[in-house]
Amino acid sequence: MAKYGETIKPLPSAEVELTGDRITAGWQDLLLLVGRVAIGAIFVNSGFGKLMEISSFIGRMEGMGVPVASVMAPLGAGIEFFGGFAIILGAWTWLAALLVAAFTVAATYIAHLFWNYPPEQQAAQQTQFMKNLAILGGLLAFVAAGPGRISIDGLRWRRENARYL
């Protein structure tokens, strides 16, 4: 560790350029946008289908033993649809990603605990479980990293902090 007054030698430029931070630095905002669209689209599509067939969704939830399914189904479908849209737009991203992450955990617990299924269904349910786990990781990454500059949150931040830029 450097001490006060000591000169710190920078890394040689060839070593710096090979680090992941340097390679992706110029692409970060675009990559966050592509990631938000990819993950958000899953929830917009699924949530829209559930909202359009809400009585069927309520019936499926009742069949899985979800208490108060007539309240939980519209709530879950709404979080899924509107939260997915908010993630795509990068609007209230941390909150939307947390709500959709909570929905994903609940949906996984309700429908995809593969070890509770008959052996012939376990492989398919394990795939769904692992897919949801990966999506959960992506959502938590948006909570941590934010939406990037190409977003409503980024636009709002720049407008509110223009005097400092």
Side-chain angles (χ1 to χ4, degrees):
M1 181 168 198
K3 294 184 174 131
Y4 180 74
E6 241 181 12
T7 304
I8 300 173
K9 278 177 65 174
L11 289 172
S13 61
E15 290 179 45
V16 172
E17 292 303 319
L18 293 177
T19 65
D21 291 345
R22 290 287 187 170
I23 293 169
T24 61
W27 293 90
Q28 183 174 355
D29 294 314
L30 181 62
L31 293 171
L32 285 167
L33 171 64
V34 170
R36 286 193 341 260
V37 170
I39 287 182
I42 294 167
F43 293 99
V44 169
N45 182 53
S46 181
F48 182 77
K50 289 173 182 149
L51 288 170
M52 293 299 101
E53 298 289 332
I54 197 68
S55 59
S56 173
F57 183 46
I58 291 170
R60 287 195 318 267
M61 288 186 75
E62 286 173 343
M64 291 183 212
V66 174
V68 205
S70 61
V71 173
M72 298 307 284
L75 179 65
I79 288 172
E80 196 174 12
F81 179 74
F82 293 108
F85 244 129
I87 290 167
I88 289 171
L89 297 173
W92 305 283
T93 308
W94 72 270
L95 178 60
L98 276 178
L99 286 172
V100 174
F103 169 85
T104 302
V105 168
T108 303
Y109 179 76
I110 292 167
H112 302 300
L113 296 181
F114 60 91
W115 51 87
N116 291 336
Y117 280 82
E120 62 275 2
Q121 295 177 12
Q122 283 185 356
Q125 289 301 324
Q126 185 176 16
T127 299
Q128 293 298 317
F129 181 93
M130 298 307 286
K131 170 201 52 101
N132 284 4
L133 186 62
I135 290 170
L136 179 63
L139 291 166
L140 294 177
F142 290 130
V143 172
R149 291 186 297 174
I150 308 169
S151 65
I152 290 175
D153 289 344
L155 181 65
R156 187 180 315 124
W157 184 90
R158 286 191 302 281
R159 189 171 7 105
E160 291 171 359
N161 294 287
R163 66 180 174 264
Y164 304 114
L165 300 176

